[in-house]
């Protein structure tokens, strides 16, 4: 089984939680639906016209944190814009809003880096993504348009696109090192041996929408991550599927 691996990079990110209202809370990693949207944009799909083509039954996404991350909260002045005259900030209708941003642990020298592993049943889509993401280029890979890591002001870029070989495995009663985010419901036990450098983080992600942009049943799942770019030592529930990538690292698709 062949997949495509690539990295999403940037200095800061904001993946707003769908239930966030007065305070703009952020997922620490891009939701699966966000990754699907980025890939659909690279392929030229129009907004809201790719949900069925990128349904969970047709494609799979795995996600790894490559550099240590942290969250910060920044107070922002938001304008209530009701006409073009309000765009210069001269109006009095300002709102103080606390916004979460994801930044590298050392923002002076580091970058955010998420590694995405993607698989689609449609060979045409895989071939098109391979041509877009795995080429050597000095311009943005998304048709010369930069990638937004959530909010439009959080610009990023794609790097290290490559084709990878994925060998399907089935879990037994033994400890497995998983390098990607893991679905919480698939975990039987977490091993704390040799896990001194692990920074556990649990959050919810959304994996797909319907054609009407509604969250599908069972598409909200809890995932477990390590913010320190180290594998998770886990005992998975019996017969849980995971994949060995290029005979080197174990990953799990989020579905």
């Amino acid at each position: 089984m062949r997949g495509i691996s690539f990295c999403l990079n940037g200095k800061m990110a904001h993946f707003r939680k769908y239930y966030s209202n007065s305070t703009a809370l952020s997922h620490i990693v891009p939701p699966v639906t966000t990754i699907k949207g980025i890939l659909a944009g690279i392929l030229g799909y129009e907004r809201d016209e790719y949900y069925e083509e990128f349904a969970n039954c047709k494609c799979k996404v795995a996600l790894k944190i490559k550099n240590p991350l942290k969250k910060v909260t920044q107070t922002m002045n938001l304008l209530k814009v009701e006409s073009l005259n309000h765009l210069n900030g001269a109006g009095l209708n300002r709102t103080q809003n606390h916004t979460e941003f994801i930044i590298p642990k050392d923002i002076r020298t580091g970058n955010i880096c998420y590694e995405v592993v993607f698989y689609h049943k449609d060979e045409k889509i895989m071939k098109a993504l391979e041509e877009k993401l795995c080429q050597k280029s000095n311009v943005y890979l998304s048709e010369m348009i930069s990638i937004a890591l959530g909010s439009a002001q959080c610009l990023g870029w794609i790097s290290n696109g490559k084709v990878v070989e994925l060998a399907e495995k089935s879990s037994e009663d033994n400890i497995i090192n998983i390098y990607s985010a893991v679905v919480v419901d698939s975990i039987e036990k977490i091993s704390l041996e040799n896990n001194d450098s692990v920074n556990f983080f649990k959050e919810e992600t959304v994996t797909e929408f319907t054609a009407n942009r509604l969250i599908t049943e069972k598409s909200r799942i809890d995932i477990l991550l390590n913010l320190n770019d180290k594998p998770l030592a886990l005992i998975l529930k019996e017969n849980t599927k995971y994949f060995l990538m290029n005979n080197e690292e174990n990953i799990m698709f989020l579905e």
Side-chain angles (χ1 to χ4, degrees), residues 65-70 103-106 111-112 227-229:
I65 295 176
K66 300 293 288 183
N67 294 333
L69 303 176
K70 64 180 180 181
I103 62 173
K105 194 170 184 179
D106 186 348
N111 291 319
I112 295 171
L227 302 187
N228 285 342
D229 185 27

Side-chain angles (χ1 to χ4, degrees), residues 128-141:
L129 284 174
E130 181 180 343
E131 292 176 355
K132 297 284 188 181
L133 300 178
C134 302
Q135 61 177 322
K136 299 294 183 181
S137 174
N138 293 323
V139 299
Y140 291 116
L141 297 180

